[in-house]
Coordinates of all heavy atoms in Angstrom, one line a residue:
P26 N 0.8 -1.2 0.0 CA 0.0 0.0 0.0 C 0.9 1.2 0.0 O 1.9 1.3 0.6 CB -0.8 -0.1 1.3 CG -0.7 -1.5 1.7 CD 0.6 -2.0 1.2
Q27 N 0.4 2.3 -0.7 CA 1.2 3.5 -0.8 C 1.5 4.0 0.6 O 0.6 4.2 1.4 CB 0.4 4.5 -1.6 CG 1.1 5.9 -1.7 CD 0.2 6.9 -2.3 OE1 -0.5 6.6 -3.3 NE2 0.2 8.1 -1.8
G28 N 2.8 4.3 0.9 CA 3.2 4.9 2.1 C 3.3 3.9 3.3 O 3.6 4.3 4.4
W29 N 3.0 2.7 3.1 CA 2.9 1.7 4.2 C 4.3 1.5 4.9 O 4.4 1.4 6.1 CB 2.4 0.4 3.7 CG 2.2 -0.7 4.8 CD1 1.0 -0.9 5.5 CD2 3.1 -1.6 5.3 NE1 1.2 -1.9 6.4 CE2 2.5 -2.4 6.3 CE3 4.5 -1.9 5.0 CZ2 3.2 -3.4 7.0 CZ3 5.1 -2.9 5.7 CH2 4.5 -3.6 6.7
L30 N 5.4 1.5 4.1 CA 6.7 1.2 4.6 C 7.1 2.2 5.7 O 7.6 1.8 6.8 CB 7.7 1.2 3.5 CG 8.0 -0.1 2.7 CD1 9.0 0.1 1.6 CD2 8.5 -1.2 3.7
D31 N 6.9 3.5 5.4 CA 7.4 4.5 6.4 C 6.3 4.9 7.4 O 6.6 5.7 8.3 CB 7.9 5.7 5.6 CG 9.1 5.4 4.8 OD1 9.9 4.6 5.3 OD2 9.2 5.8 3.6
C32 N 5.1 4.4 7.2 CA 4.0 4.7 8.2 C 4.3 4.0 9.5 O 4.6 2.8 9.5 CB 2.7 4.2 7.6 SG 1.3 4.4 8.8
P33 N 4.3 4.7 10.6 CA 4.5 4.1 11.9 C 3.5 2.9 12.1 O 2.4 3.0 11.7 CB 4.2 5.2 12.9 CG 4.5 6.5 12.1 CD 4.0 6.2 10.7
S34 N 4.0 1.9 12.7 CA 3.2 0.6 12.7 C 1.9 0.8 13.6 O 0.9 0.3 13.2 CB 4.1 -0.5 13.3 OG 4.5 -0.2 14.6
H35 N 2.0 1.4 14.7 CA 0.8 1.6 15.6 C 1.0 2.8 16.5 O 2.1 3.3 16.6 CB 0.6 0.3 16.4 CG 1.8 -0.1 17.3 ND1 2.0 0.5 18.5 CD2 2.8 -0.9 17.1 CE1 3.0 0.0 19.1 NE2 3.6 -0.8 18.3
G36 N -0.1 3.1 17.1 CA -0.1 4.2 18.1 C -0.1 3.7 19.5 O 0.0 2.5 19.7
Q37 N -0.3 4.6 20.4 CA -0.5 4.2 21.8 C -1.9 3.8 22.1 O -2.9 4.2 21.4 CB -0.1 5.4 22.7 CG 1.3 5.8 22.6 CD 2.3 4.7 23.0 OE1 2.1 4.1 24.0 NE2 3.3 4.5 22.1
P38 N -2.1 3.0 23.1 CA -3.5 2.5 23.4 C -4.4 3.7 23.8 O -4.0 4.6 24.5 CB -3.3 1.6 24.6 CG -1.9 1.1 24.5 CD -1.1 2.3 24.0
I39 N -5.6 3.6 23.3 CA -6.7 4.5 23.7 C -7.7 3.7 24.5 O -8.5 3.0 23.9 CB -7.3 5.2 22.4 CG1 -6.2 5.9 21.6 CG2 -8.4 6.2 22.9 CD1 -6.7 6.4 20.3
G40 N -7.6 3.7 25.8 CA -8.3 2.8 26.5 C -7.7 1.4 26.3 O -6.5 1.2 26.5
Y41 N -8.5 0.5 25.7 CA -7.9 -0.8 25.4 C -7.9 -1.0 23.9 O -7.8 -2.1 23.4 CB -8.8 -1.9 26.0 CG -8.5 -2.1 27.5 CD1 -9.2 -1.4 28.4 CD2 -7.4 -2.9 27.9 CE1 -9.0 -1.5 29.8 CE2 -7.1 -3.0 29.3 CZ -7.9 -2.3 30.2 OH -7.6 -2.5 31.5
M42 N -8.0 0.1 23.1 CA -7.9 0.0 21.7 C -6.6 0.5 21.2 O -6.1 1.6 21.6 CB -9.1 0.9 21.0 CG -10.4 0.4 21.3 SD -11.7 1.5 20.6 CE -11.5 2.9 21.6
I43 N -6.0 -0.2 20.3 CA -4.7 0.2 19.7 C -4.8 0.4 18.2 O -5.1 -0.5 17.4 CB -3.6 -1.0 19.9 CG1 -3.5 -1.2 21.4 CG2 -2.3 -0.6 19.3 CD1 -2.6 -2.4 21.7
P44 N -4.6 1.7 17.8 CA -4.7 2.0 16.4 C -3.5 1.5 15.6 O -2.4 1.7 16.1 CB -4.8 3.6 16.3 CG -4.2 4.0 17.6 CD -4.4 2.9 18.6
S45 N -3.7 0.9 14.5 CA -2.6 0.3 13.8 C -2.7 0.3 12.3 O -3.8 0.5 11.8 CB -2.5 -1.2 14.3 OG -1.6 -1.9 13.5
K46 N -1.6 0.3 11.6 CA -1.7 0.0 10.2 C -1.9 -1.5 9.9 O -1.8 -2.3 10.9 CB -0.4 0.5 9.5 CG 0.9 -0.3 9.7 CD 2.1 0.3 9.0 CE 3.3 -0.5 9.2 NZ 4.5 0.1 8.5
V47 N -2.2 -1.8 8.7 CA -2.5 -3.2 8.5 C -1.3 -4.1 8.5 O -0.2 -3.8 7.9 CB -3.2 -3.4 7.1 CG1 -2.3 -2.9 5.9 CG2 -3.6 -4.9 6.8
P48 N -1.3 -5.2 9.3 CA -0.2 -6.1 9.3 C -0.2 -6.9 7.9 O -1.3 -7.2 7.4 CB -0.5 -7.1 10.5 CG -1.5 -6.3 11.3 CD -2.3 -5.5 10.3
L49 N 1.0 -7.2 7.4 CA 1.1 -7.9 6.1 C 1.6 -9.3 6.4 O 2.6 -9.5 7.2 CB 2.0 -7.2 5.2 CG 1.6 -5.7 4.8 CD1 2.6 -5.1 3.8 CD2 0.2 -5.7 4.3
D50 N 1.1 -10.3 5.7 CA 1.6 -11.7 6.0 C 2.9 -11.9 5.3 O 3.5 -11.0 4.6 CB 0.5 -12.7 5.5 CG 0.3 -12.6 4.0 OD1 1.2 -12.4 3.2 OD2 -0.9 -12.8 3.6
E51 N 3.5 -13.1 5.5 CA 4.8 -13.4 5.1 C 5.0 -13.4 3.6 O 6.1 -13.3 3.1 CB 5.3 -14.7 5.7 CG 5.4 -14.7 7.2 CD 5.9 -16.0 7.8 OE1 6.0 -16.9 7.0 OE2 6.1 -16.1 9.0
S52 N 3.9 -13.4 2.8 CA 4.1 -13.4 1.3 C 4.6 -12.1 0.8 O 5.0 -11.9 -0.3 CB 2.7 -13.8 0.7 OG 1.8 -12.8 0.9
Y53 N 4.5 -11.0 1.7 CA 5.0 -9.7 1.3 C 6.5 -9.5 1.7 O 7.0 -8.4 1.5 CB 4.2 -8.6 2.1 CG 2.8 -8.4 1.5 CD1 1.7 -9.1 1.9 CD2 2.6 -7.4 0.5 CE1 0.5 -8.9 1.4 CE2 1.3 -7.2 0.0 CZ 0.3 -7.9 0.5 OH -1.0 -7.7 -0.1
N54 N 7.1 -10.5 2.3 CA 8.4 -10.3 2.9 C 9.5 -10.0 1.8 O 10.5 -9.3 2.1 CB 8.9 -11.6 3.6 CG 8.2 -11.8 5.0 OD1 7.5 -10.9 5.4 ND2 8.5 -12.9 5.6
D55 N 9.3 -10.4 0.6 CA 10.3 -10.1 -0.5 C 10.2 -8.6 -0.9 O 11.1 -8.1 -1.6 CB 10.1 -11.0 -1.7 CG 8.7 -10.9 -2.3 OD1 7.8 -10.4 -1.6 OD2 8.6 -11.4 -3.4
L56 N 9.1 -7.9 -0.4 CA 9.0 -6.5 -0.7 C 9.4 -5.6 0.5 O 9.4 -4.4 0.4 CB 7.5 -6.2 -1.0 CG 7.0 -6.8 -2.3 CD1 5.5 -6.5 -2.5 CD2 7.8 -6.5 -3.5

């Protein structure tokens, strides 16, 4: 996804919710 590499992975918890970018499975590892 555009900008995904440099986008911070996640933020700090808001209560018990953690805002995050989408995790990518291992098939993306070559990228």
